[in-house]
Amino acid sequence: MKLSLEAEEVATFYGKMLDHEYTTKEAFQKNFFTDWKIQMTSEERKVIQHLHKCDFSEIHKYFVDKSEARKTLPKEEKEKLKEEASRLQEEFGFCTLDGHREKIGNFKIEPPGLFRGRGDHPKMGMLKKRIMPEDIIINCSKDSKIPEPPPGHRWKEVRCDNTVTWLASWTENVQNGIKYIMLNPSSKLKGEKDWQKYETARRLKNVVGQIRSQYRADWKSREMKMRQRAVALYFIDKLALRAGNEKEEGETADTVGCCSLRVEHIQLHPELDGQTYMVEFDFLGKDSIRYYNKVPVEKEVFKNLKLFMENKSPEDDLFDRLNTVKLNKHLQDLMDGLTAKVFRTYNASITLQDQLKELTNDEDSVAAKILSYNRANRAVALLCNHQRALPKTFEKSMQNLQAKIDAKEEQLKDAKKGLKKAKREHKDSQSSKSKKDMEKKKSLCDRLEDQLMKLKLQATDKEENKQIALGTSKLNYLDPRITVAWCKKFGVPIEKIYNKAQREKFAWAIDMTNEDFEF
C-alpha cells in the first residue's frame, strides 16, 4: 500500500524499531497506532484499522541494510563523514561566554521519532514531532551575531537573558517539557556548579550526626506531623529515596517518592528472612522504574509505620501530614542548601569512599583494582536504585567472552607444556641458548596468565553488572575527587575509569585533587 508522506514517515519510525523490546509492549503499540492514525489520510484510516495486520518487515529490512552498508563504507567515505561532522562541530559547537570560547553540549536537535521513556512509561510509543525554527527561542547577548533561521522560517523569539545558562529552548509535544541547548559539561560554568554541589554535600557531613539524633528523637514526638517527617527523613537518609513531587492528575505515570508513598506501597513484617522489623517497599519511582526493596528498620520506625497505616485504605497517603514543600522547608532549616538530593549525593559519595577503602588491595593488578572500583560503584547504584534492563546483546557478548577465555586457557596450556620441555632441555644442556629459550617461554606463560586473569575479571564484572546502571551515579552523585584521589593513590590510569567525555566534565577535579583527598 502506498502511504501518504506523513503516514509513511511515522510508519518508518515503528519499522526501524521492530527488533526492539518496546514494540512488543501493549502501551507502546496502542500509543503509536493512535498517533499514526492522526497522520493518515481519511482513505488510509479506512483501510488500516488493526496494527497487528500491518507488516513492517520490509521497512525494517531497509534500515538494517542501510546500517550494514554504513559499516562497510570505504575508508575515504568514512573520512569524509568524519570531516563533515568536525566542520559542523566547529561551526555550531562553540559559543563565547564572558570572553571565553566554550564548547556547547547538545547542539543538534533530536529528530522526530517515537517516544520511549524509561521503565513502563504510559506515554511510550507516542509521536515526538519535528521541531521547527518557529518552536525555538534563541538566547544570546545583544551585541552577538544572531544565528540565521533556515530560509523561509523565523525563530519563535530571540531574547537576551544573561541570568540563565541555556542558549536555545523549545517545548516538546509528548510531555510538554522544556528542552534546552546548554553548555558542554566540561565548561567552566558547569564545573563550578558541579564543585558547589559536592561541597554542599561535604558540608552535610559536619551536621549529619546532629540531624540523625534529631530525627531519632522526633520518632517519639507528641505531634503526628513531626513523627511522619522524622520517619520520611530516615528513609531519605538511609535508603536514598527521592522526596517525590505532587503531579497533575493523569499527567504522567503513577510514580511516587518518599512524601507521596501510599499505604499500598509498603508491607510490614515483624519477622522476615531471619530478620526483625522488616519493611517491604514496592512502588514506581522516577522514570517509572520499579523500586522493590526489603529492609530491616529500627523498632521505633516500625512502630510508627504501623501507627501511620492504622484505619487507612491502601490508596491513602502513608504520610498524610507531610508534603515536599514542608519537608524541603524543614531541610533548609537544618542546613542552608539542604535538599533530599544533597542527602543522596552525600550518601552515594560516602558509600563509594568507604567501599573503596574496604575493597582495594594495594598488591592487586590494575585490572583487579578496576573490578574493586566497579564493585564500589555498584554498591552506590544499588543504594540509588539505578537499574537497567538486561542488554539485548548480553548473552551473545558473554558467549564471545567465554570463547576468548577458553582459547586463552588452551594457549596457556600449550605454553606451560613448552616451558616444561624448555626446563628439561636446560637442565640437560645448561647452555646459555637453552636458558634464554626457557626465560622466553616463562615470559610467555606470565603474559598469558595475566591476559587470562584480565578476561576472567572482565567476565565477572559484566555478569555482576548486567542489570545495574553505573553511569548515572558516576556522573551525578559521586564526588569525582574521590575517584581521582583513589586513581592517584593506587596507580590506576584515570582513563580506565573515566572516558574522554567524563574526563572533560571532571577536568576541575582531575586538576585540583591529590591522593589524600577525603570527602
Side-chain angles (χ1 to χ4, degrees):
M1 179 171 178
K2 189 170 172 60
L3 296 172
S4 59
L5 282 179
E6 289 81 0
E8 184 187 10
E9 184 181 40
V10 178
T12 65
F13 298 156
Y14 190 86
K16 213 178 202 174
M17 290 178 68
L18 217 53
D19 59 353
H20 205 292
E21 190 202 349
Y22 274 104
T23 52
T24 65
K25 294 184 177 182
E26 201 180 320
F28 192 93
Q29 294 172 356
K30 186 169 169 284
N31 289 332
F32 160 70
F33 198 53
T34 302
D35 281 5
W36 187 28
K37 281 198 287 191
I38 294 167
Q39 302 301 315
M40 294 177 191
T41 62
S42 53
E43 280 69 34
E44 285 167 343
R45 276 196 289 272
K46 280 176 198 165
V47 180
I48 303 168
Q49 292 189 16
H50 303 283
L51 182 65
H52 69 272
K53 291 185 178 178
C54 300
D55 180 4
F56 293 89
S57 58
E58 286 292 320
I59 295 173
H60 179 67
K61 185 180 179 303
Y62 168 81
F63 284 109
V64 169
D65 293 347
K66 218 174 165 186
S67 170
E68 289 306 314
R70 255 200 316 272
K71 287 177 196 167
T72 54
L73 276 177
K75 200 178 174 189
E76 308 80 68
E77 287 295 316
K78 283 182 180 172
E79 278 304 314
K80 268 188 199 169
L81 291 172
K82 213 172 170 184
E83 280 167 25
E84 177 59 14
S86 298
R87 189 190 65 74
L88 285 174
Q89 172 74 48
E90 201 52 44
E91 188 179 346
F92 299 105
F94 293 90
C95 69
T96 305
L97 177 81
D98 297 340
H100 297 283
R101 188 171 188 253
E102 294 276 20
K103 204 172 177 185
I104 295 170
N106 51 330
F107 65 89
K108 290 182 179 178
I109 282 185
E110 211 180 326
L114 302 181
F115 178 71
R116 298 182 182 196
R118 291 183 62 208
D120 285 323
H121 202 288
K123 293 189 173 186
M124 63 165 78
M126 284 177 72
L127 175 63
K128 285 191 300 182
K129 292 179 178 166
R130 181 173 277 100
I131 304 300
M132 301 302 283
E134 287 74 12
D135 300 318
I136 292 174
I137 299 169
I138 297 285
N139 184 31
C140 56
S141 48
K142 287 190 174 82
D143 55 356
S144 65
K145 182 183 176 295
I146 294 161
E148 290 288 325
H153 290 277
R154 58 183 178 79
W155 302 123
K156 181 180 181 179
E157 185 191 333
V158 174
R159 65 171 72 156
C160 310
D161 183 356
N162 65 0
T163 64
V164 295
T165 59
W166 55 265
L167 310 166
S169 80
W170 64 92
T171 303
E172 55 85 28
N173 66 293
V174 176
Q175 300 197 88
N176 289 318
I178 300 175
K179 297 275 187 178
Y180 298 99
I181 283 184
M182 308 284 262
L183 293 170
N184 187 278
S186 63
S187 67
K188 188 167 171 278
L189 209 66
K190 291 266 190 186
E192 280 172 10
K193 284 191 86 169
D194 249 7
W195 176 79
Q196 283 167 358
K197 174 173 87 173
Y198 293 115
E199 283 302 295
T200 304
R202 281 180 91 197
R203 278 197 291 119
L204 175 56
K205 188 172 70 170
N206 304 322
V207 293
V208 75
Q210 207 179 315
I211 291 172
R212 285 169 178 164
S213 300
Q214 179 63 57
Y215 70 56
R216 287 184 130 76
D218 287 345
W219 291 341
K220 295 179 179 178
S221 168
R222 288 181 177 181
E223 285 189 66
M224 183 61 90
K225 65 176 182 185
M226 295 267 277
R227 287 192 182 208
Q228 289 193 2
R229 190 179 68 192
V231 171
L233 195 44
Y234 168 80
F235 285 160
I236 284 166
D237 181 16
K238 293 293 173 198
L239 302 174
L241 294 189
R242 291 181 173 87
N245 295 308
E246 291 75 26
K247 299 186 301 295
E248 293 298 311
E249 198 60 42
E251 246 312 282
T252 54
D254 180 23
T255 59
V256 296
C258 189
C259 294
S260 42
L261 283 171
R262 298 191 294 272
V263 173
E264 63 193 321
H265 294 137
I266 70 166
Q267 276 188 46
L268 304 180
H269 304 279
E271 238 178 90
L272 185 72
D273 302 336
Q275 288 178 290
T276 53
Y277 308 121
M278 294 287 282
V279 180
E280 187 176 354
F281 291 87
D282 194 354
F283 61 90
L284 280 187
K286 188 185 174 195
D287 293 327
S288 301
I289 301 287
R290 183 186 181 202
Y291 181 93
Y292 180 77
N293 203 358
K294 289 187 278 194
V295 282
V297 298
E298 298 193 31
K299 188 179 179 180
E300 284 301 325
V301 171
F302 194 84
K303 278 163 69 178
N304 271 310
L305 288 170
K306 221 171 173 181
L307 186 64
F308 303 160
M309 292 167 83
E310 263 176 25
N311 304 318
K312 282 185 184 174
S313 307
E315 63 278 3
D316 288 341
D317 287 338
L318 179 66
F319 302 117
D320 54 328
R321 314 279 173 94
L322 183 70
N323 59 37
T324 43
V325 177
K326 289 175 185 171
L327 180 74
N328 284 327
K329 189 188 176 312
H330 177 61
L331 291 174
Q332 281 293 330
D333 293 343
L334 294 172
M335 185 192 103
D336 187 35
L338 184 58
T339 62
K341 189 169 183 175
V342 174
F343 261 107
R344 218 168 146 77
T345 306
Y346 163 77
N347 280 317
S349 293
I350 281 288
T351 301
L352 179 76
Q353 186 168 278
D354 292 347
Q355 287 285 312
L356 285 175
K357 280 179 185 170
E358 201 179 303
L359 297 169
T360 314
N361 190 341
D362 212 355
E363 286 75 53
D364 277 351
S365 66
V366 168
K369 283 172 185 168
I370 291 166
L371 179 65
S372 296
Y373 180 86
N374 286 345
R375 281 180 168 161
N377 193 352
R378 205 148 35 239
V380 176
L382 285 167
L383 172 78
C384 296
N385 196 41
H386 291 151
Q387 300 177 37
R388 63 171 182 170
L390 189 69
K392 268 196 302 184
T393 55
F394 179 76
E395 290 302 329
K396 184 92 178 78
S397 65
M398 280 304 271
Q399 281 167 8
N400 292 344
L401 198 48
Q402 191 54 52
K404 282 182 187 174
I405 289 170
D406 294 344
K408 197 63 72 182
E409 280 175 338
E410 208 52 51
Q411 279 177 280
L412 182 59
K413 205 168 147 188
D414 292 344
K416 280 181 174 172
K417 277 181 193 169
L419 176 61
K420 214 171 181 182
K421 190 182 170 196
K423 277 180 178 173
R424 270 200 315 270
E425 284 171 3
H426 178 61
K427 197 178 176 185
D428 294 343
S429 70
Q430 291 295 316
S431 69
S432 60
K433 186 175 179 272
S434 66
K435 188 183 179 189
K436 216 171 179 179
D437 186 46
M438 182 180 77
E439 282 170 354
K440 203 173 163 187
K441 295 241 176 4
K442 170 135 184 25
S443 168
L444 175 66
C445 281
D446 291 346
R447 198 164 64 246
L448 288 170
E449 271 178 344
D450 189 44
Q451 289 168 351
L452 179 62
M453 187 190 73
K454 277 183 184 168
L455 285 169
K456 284 183 171 176
L457 288 172
Q458 210 183 323
T460 305
D461 204 18
K462 225 178 172 63
E463 178 60 43
E464 290 178 3
N465 226 18
K466 60 185 178 187
Q467 285 182 292
I468 298 287
L470 298 185
T472 312
S473 47
K474 201 194 267 190
L475 280 178
N476 301 312
Y477 292 107
L478 299 176
D479 189 327
R481 292 170 293 183
I482 300 168
T483 299
V484 175
W486 177 83
C487 284
K488 288 180 178 176
K489 187 174 180 178
F490 292 103
V492 176
I494 198 89
E495 54 274 15
K496 296 280 186 189
I497 303 295
Y498 288 144
N499 63 30
K500 188 172 180 282
Q502 290 164 347
R503 291 197 298 278
E504 283 180 4
K505 176 178 165 70
F506 296 135
W508 61 272
I510 294 167
D511 294 342
M512 71 186 284
T513 311
N514 63 30
E515 64 175 59
D516 301 322
F517 174 82
E518 283 276 321
F519 181 75

